[in-house]
Amino acid sequence: MARFKNKKKVFVKPVSSKKQANVDHVTGDKIPRSFVFSRCKLPGPLRQLQADLRKLMLPYTALKLKEKRRNNLRDFLNVAGPMGVTHFLMLSKTPTAPYLRVARTPQGPTLTFKIQEYSLAVDIARSQKRPRCPADLFKNAPLIVLSGFGTGEQHLKLTTILFQNIFPAIDVNTVKLSSCQRIVLLNYNKDTKLIDFRHYSIRLQPVGVSQRLRRFVQNHQVPDLRNLQDVSDFVTKAGYGSESEADDEAATVTLANDLGRVNRAASKSAVKLQEIGPRMTLQLMKIEEGLCSGGVIFSEYGNGDGKKKEDNHEDEDNDDEDEEIDEEDEENDEEEDGNDIDQN
């Protein structure tokens, strides 16, 4: 009679996904999180802009957020609470221009911006001779820099507070230099009343070190010394792009600790910014007290005694926009119903 071998049971350890912390272990503040989605059907370039904004908000955003046509603002708000989402970035499109709404959940305020101009990240990369995008560039949240908002006007103060709180706060005494790899710059022009939105990557280069030596240390490659008489020729030889990278004294910093193989502590390094996109030119149109609703705190069309008139005017604009979205949804639903009938 044949014997059966007792097979050993293999225990498979369940893979546990590492959850992100909700509170910063250094500052003790709640880490802001965001949703980037659209309020209507977007054309191709605006869908790509939405993807670029999601990538910009990494790592504290839903990169692969899937939306359905029937989802309304309340659906996103119901999910935002359990997931700790604090801000909404909503893109929409009207026959005249695209709009970006930035809202604080769950009770507002909501800032509505008109997108005057925009460039996608892929367009900016194509315009550069050497685009830079390391693999770990989006591992940490970007720094935020606001310029030109200190005019004392109430609507600019609200804009400053909202954008300052949309990214995690940092402690300059304990922050790691390796985590500061990106920066978001918002510059307000008081003459044109436009906001320039830019997204850069940060890299440091040691001052007084030639480009040849930097590449040799960083790439771990043996240099070509066949045409040189001595190793010192490789070190002291001028040229090879060093003239075009003159170090500006105003753009140099002294590092507190080592950063990589080239930048050492107590040594001077030049700060280089390279744009990675997206790029936008925004115009603040209005500020609402609630989440896409409530009283109008600021309106580009006028303030003061005509506040109630402004509220009615803005509500009419919102109603018209919502009606356009509803009409598109109804048309799409009718098309789907027609397809289902044809299939039956």
Side-chain angles (χ1 to χ4, degrees):
M1 188 175 178
R3 292 184 178 180
F4 295 95
K5 282 188 175 182
N6 294 329
K7 294 184 179 180
K8 294 182 179 179
K9 293 182 179 181
V10 180
F11 176 73
V12 180
K13 187 177 181 180
V15 179
S16 60
S17 59
K18 188 177 180 181
K19 294 183 179 181
Q20 293 180 337
N22 292 326
V23 179
D24 194 337
H25 67 283
V26 177
T27 60
D29 299 331
K30 183 179 179 181
I31 296 178
R33 302 177 186 275
S34 61
F35 276 167
V36 182
F37 57 92
S38 62
R39 295 297 309 278
C40 62
K41 188 176 181 180
L42 299 177
L46 282 179
R47 287 201 302 268
Q48 185 60 43
L49 178 62
Q50 175 179 282
D52 291 344
L53 286 175
R54 289 180 179 179
K55 199 171 182 181
L56 181 146
M57 300 299 295
L58 285 175
Y60 302 111
T61 191
L63 182 62
K64 299 181 180 180
L65 178 65
K66 294 184 179 180
E67 313 163 53
K68 292 185 179 180
R69 189 172 55 253
R70 295 183 181 275
N71 291 139
N72 53 27
L73 190 59
R74 185 175 298 176
D75 297 332
F76 292 101
L77 193 59
N78 293 335
V79 180
M83 298 187 66
V85 176
T86 59
H87 293 83
F88 285 167
L89 280 77
M90 298 164 281
L91 283 169
S92 60
K93 177 73 170 66
T94 63
T96 57
Y99 287 84
L100 172 66
R101 292 181 181 178
V102 182
R104 181 75 162 88
T105 62
Q107 297 178 349
T110 303
L111 277 67
T112 301
F113 298 95
K114 183 178 181 180
I115 303 177
Q116 299 283 359
E117 297 175 351
Y118 69 93
S119 298
L120 304 176
V122 63
D123 297 330
I124 294 176
R126 287 173 182 171
S127 65
Q128 296 174 351
K129 186 177 180 180
R130 294 176 182 174
R132 178 179 180 270
C133 188
D136 59 344
L137 186 62
F138 298 92
K139 186 178 179 181
N140 299 287
L143 307 177
I144 180 72
V145 174
L146 302 173
S147 175
F149 288 87
T151 60
E153 298 180 77
Q154 184 65 24
H155 65 282
L156 293 181
K157 289 182 180 180
L158 290 174
T159 305
T160 302
I161 294 172
L162 185 66
F163 277 107
Q164 282 179 341
N165 295 327
I166 206 171
F167 296 107
I170 63 170
D171 187 353
V172 294
N173 297 319
T174 58
V175 66
K176 295 182 179 179
L177 294 179
S178 58
S179 64
C180 303
Q181 297 191 18
R182 293 185 293 140
I183 183 171
V184 173
L185 172 64
L186 279 81
N187 180 48
Y188 177 74
N189 190 332
K190 63 180 181 180
D191 297 328
T192 60
K193 296 183 179 180
L194 297 179
I195 300 174
D196 295 323
F197 185 100
R198 300 291 186 269
H199 184 208
Y200 299 94
S201 65
I202 305 173
R203 59 191 177 100
L204 297 177
Q205 292 181 355
V207 177
V209 180
S210 64
Q211 187 176 4
R212 280 193 168 193
L213 288 180
R214 288 200 302 268
R215 289 190 174 184
F216 172 66
V217 175
Q218 291 174 347
N219 299 336
H220 305 278
Q221 294 180 355
V222 179
D224 187 5
L225 305 176
R226 289 176 298 178
N227 298 327
L228 302 179
Q229 299 296 330
D230 190 57
V231 180
S232 60
D233 296 339
F234 175 79
V235 179
T236 59
K237 188 175 181 180
Y240 201 63
S242 58
E243 293 85 2
S244 62
E245 297 182 2
D247 298 322
D248 186 6
E249 188 67 25
T252 59
V253 294
T254 302
L255 301 181
N257 47 40
D258 295 343
L259 183 62
R261 296 174 55 87
V262 180
N263 299 283
R264 295 298 179 180
S267 63
K268 284 190 175 182
S269 296
V271 180
K272 306 289 184 179
L273 299 180
Q274 184 169 353
E275 188 172 5
I276 56 179
R279 176 195 302 177
M280 293 185 292
T281 301
L282 306 175
Q283 181 183 7
L284 180 62
M285 302 304 295
K286 68 175 179 178
I287 301 177
E288 298 168 285
E289 292 180 352
L291 185 63
C292 298
S293 61
V296 177
I297 302 174
F298 165 80
S299 176
E300 179 63 22
Y301 300 106
N303 279 325
D305 298 333
K307 182 176 181 182
K308 187 175 181 181
K309 184 178 179 181
E310 290 170 13
D311 293 346
N312 296 331
H313 178 70
E314 299 297 336
D315 291 339
E316 289 175 1
D317 293 341
N318 292 335
D319 293 339
D320 294 339
E321 185 178 343
D322 294 337
E323 286 176 2
E324 292 176 2
I325 298 171
D326 294 338
E327 289 175 1
E328 290 181 0
D329 292 342
E330 290 177 1
E331 292 176 359
N332 294 328
D333 292 340
E334 291 175 359
E335 292 178 0
E336 288 186 354
D337 295 339
N339 294 333
D340 293 340
I341 294 171
D342 294 337
Q343 291 177 359
N344 294 331

